[in-house]
Amino acid sequence: MNRELKEEKRLQNRLKTVFPATSENEGLARAIAAAFSAQADPTMEELTEIRTAVSEAVSNAVIHGYPEGGGEVVMELEMYSDGSLTISIEDHGVGIADVEQAKEPLFTTGGDSERSGM
């Protein structure tokens, strides 16, 4: 019987940080994500994509989660033995009133000044 043994995907590193939900912290979040992901030796394109995704998620939390200001953003990063990376951005802001409606293309609660939502 010929079997391939697959390496079990193991957590190798984890980082959790909490910071005030301010636009100034978007740069901090990008820098943390870039430094953390460097251990996987990403290409420049992959690194740019990581930084952009983190920036968009933090910006969304700041602008839409806490439109009146205040609050915190939680960022968790995990690196696995297979080289994969998980980044989670979380806020406990106002939330989405109608999730199904929010899934519609170009839906936004931002009025005419905003191009689209998600």
Side-chain angles (χ1 to χ4, degrees):
M1 186 189 282
N2 188 1
R3 291 182 177 173
E4 285 186 34
L5 297 176
K6 292 185 178 180
E7 180 183 338
E8 184 178 320
K9 181 177 173 178
R10 297 179 331 275
L11 181 65
Q12 287 188 320
N13 202 355
R14 181 172 184 262
L15 174 69
K16 179 177 181 178
T17 185
V18 180
F19 48 87
T22 62
S23 60
E24 294 83 9
N25 283 329
E26 288 176 40
L28 172 65
R30 283 192 306 268
I32 291 169
F36 186 87
S37 62
Q39 61 194 305
D41 195 26
T43 65
M44 287 304 294
E45 182 179 341
E46 290 168 333
L47 191 56
T48 297
E49 289 174 2
I50 290 167
R51 291 171 54 89
T52 299
V54 167
S55 185
E56 291 290 326
V58 172
S59 176
N60 185 65
V62 171
I63 294 169
H64 300 291
Y66 303 105
E68 303 298 322
E72 295 179 327
V73 175
V74 178
M75 182 168 72
E76 292 187 58
L77 305 102
E78 296 178 335
M79 180 67 62
Y80 294 92
S81 58
D82 65 355
S84 63
L85 173 70
T86 300
I87 301 175
S88 301
I89 308 293
E90 178 181 324
D91 70 72
H92 296 279
V94 296
I96 299 171
D98 185 341
V99 174
E100 289 306 312
Q101 184 182 25
K103 291 178 183 178
E104 294 297 316
L106 302 178
F107 172 79
T108 182
T109 58
D112 294 333
S113 64
E114 198 170 303
R115 58 181 162 81
S116 69
M118 295 167 54

